[in-house]
């Protein structure tokens, strides 16, 4: 039973990490530049960006919560001392800030900054070992 729970945690960790980090990076660094490159109107690309980024960050937040639950199962209450836990907390704070700064006058710049913080925190998280792997 414990081995099955550990395997489920490993699968949830890998799947969530792959989906949200891959989605955030591919949306910002592949899809949106491709739309600009094929010659879509800049306002149309901006509309797609304004629709896609909040969806991707919402998905990233849900996956980060799932990963925190998996990490909590392995590390217990010490999860915040672990680099993976810290990066997941950065993701959650940055997604929260993304929502909050949208109403500010400089909201576009700050929301893009929050998006990139999430993207690079995900990249750092990919470089970390899974919770079930030894260090």
């Amino acid at each position: 039973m414990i081995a099955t729970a550990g395997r489920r945690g490993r699968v949830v960790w890998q799947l969530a990490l792959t989906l949200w980090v891959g989605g955030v990076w591919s949306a910002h660094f592949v899809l949106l530049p491709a739309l600009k490159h094929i010659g879509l109107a800049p306002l149309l690309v901006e509309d797609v960006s304004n629709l896609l980024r909040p969806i991707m960050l919402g998905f990233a937040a849900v996956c980060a919560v799932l990963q925190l639950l998996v990490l909590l199962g392995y590390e217990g209450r010490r999860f915040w001392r672990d680099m993976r836990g810290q990066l997941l907390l950065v993701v959650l704070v940055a997604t929260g800030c993304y929502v909050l700064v949208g109403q500010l006058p400089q909201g576009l710049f700050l929301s893009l900054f929050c998006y990139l913080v999430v993207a690079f925190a995900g990249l750092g998280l990919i470089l970390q070992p899974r919770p079930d792997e030894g260090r």
Side-chain angles (χ1 to χ4, degrees):
M1 182 72 168
I2 293 174
T4 305
R7 183 161 190 233
R8 285 186 195 139
R10 178 177 41 215
V11 169
V12 167
W13 179 272
Q14 280 300 122
L15 186 61
L17 185 64
T18 302
L19 289 175
W20 79 261
V21 175
V24 166
W25 276 82
S26 65
H28 184 74
F29 294 106
V30 177
L31 180 66
L32 294 175
L35 291 176
K36 288 178 187 174
H37 181 73
I38 63 172
L40 287 181
L43 286 177
L44 182 59
V45 174
E46 186 178 330
D47 282 346
V48 170
S49 170
N50 291 337
L51 177 70
L52 193 60
R53 283 189 179 131
I55 292 170
M56 291 308 306
L57 286 183
F59 185 67
V62 169
C63 288
V65 168
L66 284 173
Q67 287 183 291
L68 268 176
L69 291 174
V70 170
L71 190 61
L72 189 64
Y74 282 103
E75 298 289 329
R77 298 178 84 182
R78 307 172 310 183
F79 77 93
W80 59 273
R81 292 182 185 168
D82 191 83
M83 177 65 85
R84 296 166 295 210
Q86 293 170 2
L87 287 170
L88 289 169
L89 290 175
V90 165
V91 168
L92 292 175
V93 168
T95 55
C97 289
Y98 180 87
V99 172
L100 293 176
V101 300
Q103 290 81 24
L104 296 176
Q106 296 292 327
L108 181 63
F109 173 75
L110 293 173
S111 63
L112 182 60
F113 177 75
C114 291
Y115 188 91
L116 291 175
V117 166
V118 170
F120 282 100
L123 186 62
L125 197 56
I126 285 176
L127 298 175
Q128 300 298 317
R130 284 190 319 259
D132 64 328
E133 294 177 341
R135 291 208 171 249

Short mmCIF file of all heavy atoms in Angstrom, two decimals, residues 71-106:
data_model
loop_
_atom_site.label_atom_id
_atom_site.label_comp_id
_atom_site.label_asym_id
_atom_site.label_seq_id
_atom_site.Cartn_x
_atom_site.Cartn_y
_atom_site.Cartn_z
N LEU A 71 4.86 16.85 -2.01
CA LEU A 71 6.06 17.17 -1.23
C LEU A 71 5.78 17.13 0.26
O LEU A 71 6.61 16.66 1.05
CB LEU A 71 6.59 18.56 -1.63
CG LEU A 71 7.95 18.95 -1.10
CD1 LEU A 71 9.02 17.98 -1.59
CD2 LEU A 71 8.28 20.36 -1.51
N LEU A 72 4.62 17.56 0.66
CA LEU A 72 4.23 17.50 2.06
C LEU A 72 4.16 16.05 2.53
O LEU A 72 4.53 15.74 3.67
CB LEU A 72 2.87 18.19 2.25
CG LEU A 72 2.39 18.41 3.67
CD1 LEU A 72 3.33 19.36 4.39
CD2 LEU A 72 0.99 18.98 3.66
N GLY A 73 3.72 15.16 1.66
CA GLY A 73 3.70 13.74 2.00
C GLY A 73 5.08 13.16 2.22
O GLY A 73 5.27 12.26 3.04
N TYR A 74 6.06 13.64 1.48
CA TYR A 74 7.43 13.13 1.61
C TYR A 74 8.23 13.85 2.69
O TYR A 74 8.98 13.23 3.43
CB TYR A 74 8.17 13.23 0.28
CG TYR A 74 7.80 12.16 -0.70
CD1 TYR A 74 6.96 12.44 -1.77
CD2 TYR A 74 8.28 10.87 -0.58
CE1 TYR A 74 6.61 11.46 -2.68
CE2 TYR A 74 7.94 9.88 -1.48
CZ TYR A 74 7.10 10.19 -2.53
OH TYR A 74 6.76 9.22 -3.43
N GLU A 75 8.11 15.15 2.75
CA GLU A 75 8.95 15.95 3.64
C GLU A 75 8.26 16.31 4.95
O GLU A 75 8.92 16.74 5.89
CB GLU A 75 9.38 17.24 2.94
CG GLU A 75 10.22 17.02 1.71
CD GLU A 75 11.61 16.53 2.02
OE1 GLU A 75 12.16 16.87 3.09
OE2 GLU A 75 12.15 15.77 1.20
N GLY A 76 6.95 16.22 5.00
CA GLY A 76 6.24 16.63 6.19
C GLY A 76 6.19 18.15 6.30
O GLY A 76 6.19 18.86 5.30
N ARG A 77 6.20 18.62 7.53
CA ARG A 77 6.09 20.07 7.76
C ARG A 77 7.37 20.82 7.42
O ARG A 77 7.39 22.05 7.46
CB ARG A 77 5.71 20.32 9.21
CG ARG A 77 4.35 19.70 9.54
CD ARG A 77 4.00 19.90 10.96
NE ARG A 77 3.40 21.22 11.10
CZ ARG A 77 3.01 21.72 12.24
NH1 ARG A 77 3.18 21.04 13.35
NH2 ARG A 77 2.46 22.91 12.29
N ARG A 78 8.41 20.10 7.08
CA ARG A 78 9.68 20.74 6.71
C ARG A 78 9.74 21.08 5.23
O ARG A 78 10.79 21.44 4.73
CB ARG A 78 10.85 19.82 7.03
CG ARG A 78 10.90 19.30 8.43
CD ARG A 78 11.97 18.27 8.54
NE ARG A 78 11.80 17.30 7.44
CZ ARG A 78 12.52 16.24 7.28
NH1 ARG A 78 13.49 15.98 8.10
NH2 ARG A 78 12.30 15.41 6.29
N PHE A 79 8.64 20.96 4.51
CA PHE A 79 8.66 21.15 3.05
C PHE A 79 9.19 22.52 2.65
O PHE A 79 9.80 22.67 1.61
CB PHE A 79 7.27 20.92 2.45
CG PHE A 79 6.32 22.06 2.65
CD1 PHE A 79 6.20 23.04 1.69
CD2 PHE A 79 5.54 22.16 3.80
CE1 PHE A 79 5.34 24.10 1.87
CE2 PHE A 79 4.68 23.20 3.98
CZ PHE A 79 4.57 24.18 3.01
N TRP A 80 8.98 23.54 3.47
CA TRP A 80 9.40 24.89 3.10
C TRP A 80 10.91 25.08 3.21
O TRP A 80 11.46 26.03 2.67
CB TRP A 80 8.65 25.92 3.92
CG TRP A 80 8.87 25.77 5.40
CD1 TRP A 80 8.18 24.98 6.26
CD2 TRP A 80 9.88 26.43 6.18
NE1 TRP A 80 8.69 25.11 7.53
CE2 TRP A 80 9.73 25.98 7.51
CE3 TRP A 80 10.88 27.33 5.88
CZ2 TRP A 80 10.55 26.42 8.53
CZ3 TRP A 80 11.71 27.77 6.90
CH2 TRP A 80 11.52 27.31 8.21
N ARG A 81 11.60 24.15 3.88
CA ARG A 81 13.06 24.21 3.95
C ARG A 81 13.72 23.64 2.70
O ARG A 81 14.89 23.89 2.45
CB ARG A 81 13.57 23.45 5.17
CG ARG A 81 13.19 24.10 6.46
CD ARG A 81 13.74 23.32 7.61
NE ARG A 81 13.27 23.89 8.86
CZ ARG A 81 13.41 23.31 10.02
NH1 ARG A 81 14.03 22.14 10.10
NH2 ARG A 81 12.95 23.87 11.10
N ASP A 82 12.96 22.87 1.97
CA ASP A 82 13.45 22.22 0.76
C ASP A 82 13.38 23.20 -0.41
O ASP A 82 12.46 24.01 -0.49
CB ASP A 82 12.58 20.99 0.47
CG ASP A 82 13.18 20.12 -0.60
OD1 ASP A 82 14.05 19.31 -0.26
OD2 ASP A 82 12.76 20.26 -1.77
N MET A 83 14.34 23.13 -1.32
CA MET A 83 14.35 24.02 -2.49
C MET A 83 13.09 23.86 -3.32
O MET A 83 12.54 24.84 -3.82
CB MET A 83 15.59 23.76 -3.34
CG MET A 83 15.65 24.59 -4.61
SD MET A 83 15.80 26.35 -4.29
CE MET A 83 17.53 26.49 -4.10
N ARG A 84 12.61 22.63 -3.47
CA ARG A 84 11.38 22.39 -4.24
C ARG A 84 10.20 23.09 -3.60
O ARG A 84 9.39 23.70 -4.30
CB ARG A 84 11.12 20.89 -4.37
CG ARG A 84 12.20 20.17 -5.14
CD ARG A 84 12.09 18.70 -4.95
NE ARG A 84 12.34 18.38 -3.55
CZ ARG A 84 12.86 17.25 -3.12
NH1 ARG A 84 13.18 16.32 -3.98
NH2 ARG A 84 13.07 17.04 -1.85
N GLY A 85 10.10 23.02 -2.29
CA GLY A 85 9.01 23.69 -1.58
C GLY A 85 9.09 25.20 -1.74
O GLY A 85 8.08 25.88 -1.93
N GLN A 86 10.29 25.73 -1.67
CA GLN A 86 10.47 27.17 -1.83
C GLN A 86 10.10 27.63 -3.24
O GLN A 86 9.45 28.66 -3.42
CB GLN A 86 11.91 27.55 -1.50
CG GLN A 86 12.26 27.36 -0.05
CD GLN A 86 13.73 27.51 0.24
OE1 GLN A 86 14.54 27.81 -0.66
NE2 GLN A 86 14.11 27.31 1.48
N LEU A 87 10.50 26.85 -4.24
CA LEU A 87 10.15 27.21 -5.61
C LEU A 87 8.64 27.12 -5.84
O LEU A 87 8.06 27.97 -6.53
CB LEU A 87 10.90 26.31 -6.60
CG LEU A 87 12.38 26.60 -6.75
CD1 LEU A 87 13.06 25.50 -7.55
CD2 LEU A 87 12.61 27.95 -7.38
N LEU A 88 8.00 26.12 -5.27
CA LEU A 88 6.55 26.02 -5.41
C LEU A 88 5.84 27.18 -4.71
O LEU A 88 4.84 27.69 -5.21
CB LEU A 88 6.06 24.67 -4.87
CG LEU A 88 6.43 23.47 -5.74
CD1 LEU A 88 6.14 22.18 -4.99
CD2 LEU A 88 5.69 23.51 -7.06
N LEU A 89 6.36 27.60 -3.57
CA LEU A 89 5.79 28.76 -2.90
C LEU A 89 5.99 30.03 -3.72
O LEU A 89 5.11 30.89 -3.78
CB LEU A 89 6.37 28.91 -1.50
CG LEU A 89 5.94 27.84 -0.49
CD1 LEU A 89 6.70 28.02 0.82
CD2 LEU A 89 4.45 27.86 -0.27
N VAL A 90 7.14 30.15 -4.37
CA VAL A 90 7.37 31.30 -5.26
C VAL A 90 6.36 31.29 -6.40
O VAL A 90 5.81 32.34 -6.77
CB VAL A 90 8.82 31.27 -5.82
CG1 VAL A 90 8.99 32.20 -7.01
CG2 VAL A 90 9.80 31.63 -4.73
N VAL A 91 6.07 30.12 -6.94
CA VAL A 91 5.08 30.01 -8.02
C VAL A 91 3.72 30.47 -7.52
O VAL A 91 3.03 31.25 -8.20
CB VAL A 91 5.02 28.56 -8.55
CG1 VAL A 91 3.81 28.36 -9.45
CG2 VAL A 91 6.28 28.22 -9.30
N LEU A 92 3.33 30.03 -6.34
CA LEU A 92 2.02 30.42 -5.82
C LEU A 92 1.95 31.91 -5.51
O LEU A 92 0.93 32.56 -5.80
CB LEU A 92 1.69 29.59 -4.58
CG LEU A 92 1.44 28.12 -4.85
CD1 LEU A 92 1.24 27.36 -3.55
CD2 LEU A 92 0.24 27.93 -5.77
N VAL A 93 3.01 32.47 -4.97
CA VAL A 93 3.02 33.92 -4.69
C VAL A 93 3.00 34.71 -6.00
O VAL A 93 2.28 35.71 -6.12
CB VAL A 93 4.25 34.29 -3.82
CG1 VAL A 93 4.46 35.79 -3.77
CG2 VAL A 93 4.09 33.72 -2.42
N ALA A 94 3.76 34.27 -6.98
CA ALA A 94 3.80 34.99 -8.26
C ALA A 94 2.47 34.91 -8.98
O ALA A 94 2.05 35.89 -9.61
CB ALA A 94 4.92 34.44 -9.14
N THR A 95 1.78 33.78 -8.91
CA THR A 95 0.46 33.70 -9.54
C THR A 95 -0.54 34.59 -8.81
O THR A 95 -1.39 35.22 -9.44
CB THR A 95 -0.06 32.26 -9.61
OG1 THR A 95 -0.06 31.69 -8.31
CG2 THR A 95 0.77 31.43 -10.55
N GLY A 96 -0.43 34.66 -7.50
CA GLY A 96 -1.29 35.58 -6.74
C GLY A 96 -1.01 37.02 -7.09
O GLY A 96 -1.92 37.83 -7.25
N CYS A 97 0.28 37.37 -7.21
CA CYS A 97 0.65 38.73 -7.60
C CYS A 97 0.19 39.06 -9.01
O CYS A 97 -0.18 40.20 -9.30
CB CYS A 97 2.16 38.92 -7.49
SG CYS A 97 2.75 38.97 -5.80
N TYR A 98 0.19 38.06 -9.89
CA TYR A 98 -0.28 38.27 -11.26
C TYR A 98 -1.73 38.76 -11.25
O TYR A 98 -2.09 39.67 -11.98
CB TYR A 98 -0.15 36.98 -12.06
CG TYR A 98 -0.61 37.10 -13.49
CD1 TYR A 98 0.27 37.53 -14.47
CD2 TYR A 98 -1.91 36.79 -13.86
CE1 TYR A 98 -0.13 37.65 -15.78
CE2 TYR A 98 -2.32 36.90 -15.18
CZ TYR A 98 -1.43 37.33 -16.13
OH TYR A 98 -1.84 37.46 -17.43
N VAL A 99 -2.52 38.15 -10.41
CA VAL A 99 -3.93 38.55 -10.31
C VAL A 99 -4.05 39.94 -9.70
O VAL A 99 -4.84 40.77 -10.18
CB VAL A 99 -4.71 37.52 -9.48
CG1 VAL A 99 -6.12 37.99 -9.20
CG2 VAL A 99 -4.72 36.17 -10.18
N LEU A 100 -3.26 40.23 -8.68
CA LEU A 100 -3.36 41.51 -7.98
C LEU A 100 -2.85 42.69 -8.80
O LEU A 100 -3.42 43.77 -8.73
CB LEU A 100 -2.61 41.44 -6.65
CG LEU A 100 -3.21 40.50 -5.61
CD1 LEU A 100 -2.31 40.45 -4.38
CD2 LEU A 100 -4.61 40.92 -5.24
N VAL A 101 -1.77 42.50 -9.55
CA VAL A 101 -1.19 43.63 -10.27
C VAL A 101 -1.93 43.94 -11.56
O VAL A 101 -1.64 44.95 -12.21
CB VAL A 101 0.31 43.43 -10.56
CG1 VAL A 101 1.09 43.27 -9.29
CG2 VAL A 101 0.56 42.29 -11.51
N GLY A 102 -2.86 43.12 -11.95
CA GLY A 102 -3.61 43.38 -13.19
C GLY A 102 -4.40 44.66 -13.14
O GLY A 102 -4.69 45.26 -14.17
N GLN A 103 -4.76 45.11 -11.95
CA GLN A 103 -5.56 46.33 -11.81
C GLN A 103 -4.72 47.59 -11.65
O GLN A 103 -5.26 48.69 -11.63
CB GLN A 103 -6.49 46.22 -10.60
CG GLN A 103 -7.61 45.23 -10.77
CD GLN A 103 -7.22 43.80 -10.53
OE1 GLN A 103 -6.26 43.53 -9.82
NE2 GLN A 103 -7.95 42.88 -11.12
N LEU A 104 -3.41 47.46 -11.55
CA LEU A 104 -2.54 48.62 -11.36
C LEU A 104 -2.27 49.32 -12.69
O LEU A 104 -2.38 48.72 -13.76
CB LEU A 104 -1.22 48.18 -10.74
CG LEU A 104 -1.30 47.59 -9.34
CD1 LEU A 104 0.08 47.12 -8.90
CD2 LEU A 104 -1.84 48.60 -8.36
N PRO A 105 -1.87 50.61 -12.64
CA PRO A 105 -1.57 51.33 -13.88
C PRO A 105 -0.44 50.69 -14.70
O PRO A 105 -0.48 50.67 -15.92
CB PRO A 105 -1.15 52.72 -13.40
CG PRO A 105 -1.73 52.86 -12.04
CD PRO A 105 -1.83 51.49 -11.47
N GLN A 106 0.58 50.17 -14.03
CA GLN A 106 1.68 49.50 -14.72
C GLN A 106 1.44 47.99 -14.75
O GLN A 106 2.39 47.21 -14.78
CB GLN A 106 3.01 49.80 -14.00
CG GLN A 106 3.40 51.24 -14.04
CD GLN A 106 3.76 51.68 -15.45
OE1 GLN A 106 4.27 50.92 -16.24
NE2 GLN A 106 3.47 52.93 -15.75
#
